[in-house]
Amino acid sequence: TGCGGGEEAADLRRPYQEMTGCSMEAVVTCGQEDLVWEGTLRCSYVPGGESTVEVLAPETIAGVRAVLTDSDWYLEYGDMSLNAGALSREAVSPAACLPRLMDALRDGWLLEENRETWGETPCVRLTVDQTGGQGGKLVSTLWLREEDGLPLRGELAVDGEIILTAEFTSFSFCDILN
């Protein structure tokens, strides 16, 4: 089902649209041209608020945190803080990967919905468009487990090239509004 999607996609997305926040961990891989980076990240996501992403691995940068809002972000390590400047809605970086995937589930325009197995796990695969004012075509694809609707994998593509992937290792909702 495409162009707005079906009832199953709406049902799967509803908890993400109604949540007050979530926490998750994932192995995030960034691959562009000859550059490849992989790290384990922990994210505390707050829709429309302040989200934090902490590096758990690699060990050389473990403990570095990015704090993201809709308009800016900064890096923290221990008691030091570095303002990293404006963050456009189209900014794509490993630090922004997990919050952007949650934004996609909440607000993206549904392009595709189908059933697919990832590894051995039956999933519903959703592809959503998040293209914004900067002109780049941003498409997120998420594999949500059929049994509980929780994310198993996510991909972020810019202008047709997959830039970031996330393999979720844990996920929990903070609270869902009624």
Side-chain angles (χ1 to χ4, degrees), residues 30-41:
C30 177
Q32 271 185 299
E33 299 167 8
D34 294 336
L35 304 173
V36 176
W37 180 86
E38 182 176 287
T40 303
L41 305 179

Side-chain angles (χ1 to χ4, degrees), residues 73-122:
W73 68 301
Y74 57 92
L75 299 174
E76 293 181 334
Y77 184 75
D79 58 356
M80 296 176 14
S81 179
L82 172 66
N83 187 327
L87 177 66
S88 75
R89 293 297 294 165
E90 290 75 59
V92 177
S93 75
C97 179
L98 298 176
R100 288 194 66 73
L101 289 172
M102 290 304 103
D103 286 345
L105 275 175
R106 292 175 52 79
D107 304 321
W109 178 258
L110 185 63
L111 299 174
E112 294 177 21
E113 170 191 359
N114 62 341
R115 293 188 182 281
E116 189 173 296
T117 299
W118 185 262
E120 302 275 324
T121 306

Side-chain angles (χ1 to χ4, degrees), residues 137-150:
K137 179 105 174 134
L138 292 166
V139 175
S140 297
T141 303
L142 290 113
W143 285 259
L144 304 177
R145 297 187 315 212
E146 277 186 15
E147 72 181 62
D148 55 15
L150 297 181

